[in-house]
Amino acid sequence: MTPPKLVVEVFDARDLLPKDGQGTSSPYVVMHYHGQRKRTRTVIRDLNPRWNELVEFNVKRAAAKIFGDTLELDVFHDRSYGQTRRNVFLGRIRLSPTQFVRKGEEALIYYGLEKKSLFVWVRGEIGLKIYYVDEAIPPPLPVLPVENVKQPPPETAPVESKEVPDAPQDPQQPPQLSDVEPAAATAAGVNENTPPVDAPSISDAPTKDGDDSNQKLEDVVPPAVPVSDNIQENLPPPVSPSPSRHSKAGPEIQFATEQISPPPPLPPEMRASSASASVPEVKFVEVNGYGHHPQPIPRTVAMSRTHTMDSLDSTVIERPSFDLVDKMYYLFIRVVKARHLPTNGNPVVKITVSNARIESKPARKTPATFFEWDQTFAFARDAPESSSTLEVSVWNQLNSHEDSSPDAAARGFFGGICFDVMEVPLRDPPDSPLAPQWYRLEGGGAHHGDLMLATWIGTQGDESFPDAWKTDTAGTVNARAKVYQSPKLWYLRVTVIEAQDVWPVTAPLKEGSFQVKAQLGFQVQKTRVSVTCDGAQSWNEDLLFVAAEPFGDDLLLTLENRQTRGLVVTGMASIPLTGIERRVDDRKVASRWFTFKDPSSEKTFYKGRIHLRLCFDGGYHVMDEAAHVCSDYRPTARQLWKLPIGSIELGVIGCRNLLPMKAVNGKGSTDAYCVAKYGPKWVRTRTVRDTLEPRWNEQFTWRVYDPCTVLTIGVFDNRGVCESDNADEAVRPVFRIGKVRVRISTLRANMVYRNKYPVWVLLNSGLKKMGEVELAVRFVRTTPTFDFLHVYSQPLLPLMHHLKPLGIVQQEMLRSAAAKITAAHLSRSEPPVGRREVVLYMLDGDSQAFSMRKVRANWFRIIKVITGLIDIIRWIEDTRSWKNPTATMLVHTLLVMLVWFPDLIVPTLAFYMFVIGAWNYRFRAPEPPPHFCPKMSLADSVDREELDEEFDALPSTRHPEMVRARYDKLRTLGMRVQTMLGDLAAQGERVQALVTWRDPRATGIFILLCLAVASTLYLVPTKMVAMASGIYYFRHPILRDRMPSPALNFFRRLPSLSDRLM
């Protein structure tokens, strides 16, 4: 395998500072990675330079220990152009390896330039693509000769290019791609109207710090790559660049970069491999308003994973130490192979330990007359000191048509071995695996074979444990513990711009109503209807879909004509997803035309064309969970991921007092297993068979990128392990036992929370306690304290959610689609996480269903939130009533102090909030993290009828009379809400009526009163008015009237618009 390379594509920069003393700059880029230094060419006198260059770095893990893994890019102004005497610093960026992706996942990202020190002023941003590759990047094609190009003298003014009217061209302007003749620009890599750029001399090459240096750089000349004969026939020999006018005596520097040139046509097999790897071929057209566009790098084959990539992958974590769970000891027997057995036999190994007996799978015969099994067995032991005898025997497996008499069975015995378990060595990781040994089989009569095996006593932390046959799982394949990964989800944005030629040319002009239906898998969306009579429709509408890698389904577009007799399909277009560009920001991508075809004909007929703008939005986080229980907020594009702030460790210990979920052999049974989900990583414990108190003692680890996330653990019954006595019971949806949620922000760092959580499940019959699950959770913080606290000031969702926010209805629709895609993906795993309902239950796929119970629970939550405000109002009323004269006098004293010293108001409020928080510290949450609360959910007092309505499908499947009764009940609730909304609107209309002259006398009184108040406040100091108002408000009840105040009576008499409602 070739060593990986880090490829940096330097496209352009924007809005740089002028540093040459003439209002512009001549920038170039210097890059450092793993002790390697590369630089780009200099773009002369341009504050928005375009390089379009490609730089390669060798990934050296040994050099990373010395120089670090950070990629540093420095932008300098070249001193050779302008009045400066040194290379002036324009900005820098530093990127960590977590922001680098594999080839095929890269996207153009603009990074803001940063300062080198506090007193340096920089601005602007630079556009880069950074990714890893295994194969070498093909060299650029030979440059075509530039003909009929007249070099203007250096003193003349810059010559403007007719093809690129955006910016004037300098005589020394570097070569750029042309828009008028893309073929020539593709082959040559230069513009015919622009002279080639001279390479600066060694004296002009800047150092890393931008200062002058006497050191000379070594010449880095790319190796010459032979060009095939068919290419040489069509291309003239390359033209060597002319020497620079600034060059001095001595060797000239050759840049270790390559001008990005488009690839030659790929052979068919290469295209197939590229399509199978889901690598898009990106096309750029008019990016950011510039006329010149970066060309794509040829995507030949997908790179394979390397050790370097695994070390930088955020999903790769170190093996857990199993310190949160109890150790479970097992007797491991690894049967490798046997020799010197009859060649015509079909040997199997039988193992007997205490009361457990197991038979291995039939051996496979090798050409060297060995019989191989390579199978590991794990027998549970209560303690490592438990003593028993281990018997390992080899037998010849008899077929069904062979003699099964005892004599035949005796003849099929090849021998056995006995071990004293007390003599078996104890192995505990990180000890190395025990080497297998050859043992002579005894008691086999004429057979004298040997068996290679290894026996040891270990724990569930042994590397052989996950794939071993276990006594508590009975060796069922679907009962093993596994780790799963959610598919990488993207938002596919389809912008439908317009369509043309949908009517035949010979057809008479008539009005048509057209709409476009877009379908991706099971997702279907439609645009609005466009009415036209000339065959050209316009929509300019965005449609969003959820797509998962690897991209399988094509995007199907159907143009429908809505006529009086129904919908008529005018044309169809199929678009593969592998050719769609990916972006990470809100820049506009290139739009393209696609041709419609006749869906009713096998032949290809032109049925019009449609103008689309397609892209994968990698700057969004694709929600597959409810927003309040989300476990990850990172965007899809890996380049935008931030460094993890810590890790969360979960120890699934076991369950107690579970209820039987099914009947097997006439008795209740439960085959329980746990599923945990955090971010894209899912884990599943092994299934412990036929027990109501399963013990797993398995430990898992996730990396944490945001503390305000939730870890979800669910307990389920495995229906596929044992056959139930009742066939209907085996397929019923009562597979869920319950789930637990743990919010990371409620955990203290480096503290182990080991608790028993009650497991509840809400069924049609009511709330049911299924048992208890014991968990151990620990959050380990890896970042400094200030960096960790800084996370709380950052936005929860990525930037694209704020630049182009999604609507609530649209986001919920996309979340439902993402949950279904994730469930379908995980159900294809072997063994699967569970049924499709298991994944949807973990993702809260049905959390948005209507429930009267949830409506009442949310209402009580609102009442609880405003209870504090109500208590404050009651306290003020008690103070006004002088129920506690001492408190009232203290309030008067506080009022006088705040009125005469208003600067103390804000500090007093802040100190008051501090006192409340410090007082509530005594009542902080107990050691167990918060869990489901049946009382707050109203699940323990819910009505049976409301539960039946909550679990009813949509549309309803209940009897019409029952649906009518529920509808009448909903109407009653709606009347209450209607009355409350009407009262709220009436109060707002009374406020408006103060100045709208609906009641002339009331409005006249109000404006005259406002004039009097204004005149008084102009003449009387504000402090005196505030003091008088406060003393008047808190006056003694003897001085107050029990009737409502005149101001309140005046407000209630104002008119509203309620009398105008019909």
Side-chain angles (χ1 to χ4, degrees), residues 681-803:
K681 179 182 175 181
W682 298 64
V683 297
R684 167 187 167 156
T685 65
R686 67 186 186 279
T687 301
V688 180
R689 289 191 53 183
D690 195 17
T691 178
L692 301 181
E693 294 190 357
R695 307 296 291 178
W696 294 288
N697 285 303
E698 298 185 17
Q699 187 168 336
F700 308 97
T701 306
W702 291 268
R703 288 191 176 181
V704 177
Y705 293 85
D706 195 302
C708 302
T709 48
V710 177
L711 170 65
T712 305
I713 305 100
V715 186
F716 302 92
D717 176 58
N718 195 339
R719 298 285 181 178
V721 175
C722 297
E723 293 293 337
S724 175
D725 295 343
N726 189 357
D728 297 335
E729 190 181 43
V731 297
R732 67 180 182 178
V734 191
F735 56 87
R736 59 185 71 170
I737 299 178
K739 63 182 174 182
V740 178
R741 291 198 186 107
V742 178
R743 184 168 290 273
I744 309 301
S745 58
T746 61
L747 304 178
R748 299 181 184 178
N750 303 318
M751 182 175 179
V752 178
Y753 294 83
R754 180 166 178 170
N755 301 282
K756 297 183 180 67
Y757 299 87
V759 180
W760 305 90
V761 63
L762 190 61
L763 305 174
N764 293 340
S765 57
L767 184 66
K768 195 173 184 180
K769 184 178 179 180
M770 307 299 294
E772 294 181 347
V773 59
E774 187 176 1
L775 303 173
V777 183
R778 177 173 58 197
F779 171 65
V780 180
R781 181 170 57 86
T782 58
T783 57
T785 303
F786 289 103
D787 293 344
F788 181 77
L789 297 178
H790 179 66
V791 176
Y792 282 86
S793 65
Q794 300 300 309
L796 199 61
L797 293 172
L799 181 61
M800 282 295 293
H801 287 270
H802 305 279
L803 296 179

Side-chain angles (χ1 to χ4, degrees), residues 18 59 130 610 915:
V59 179
I130 308 174
I610 186 170
V915 172

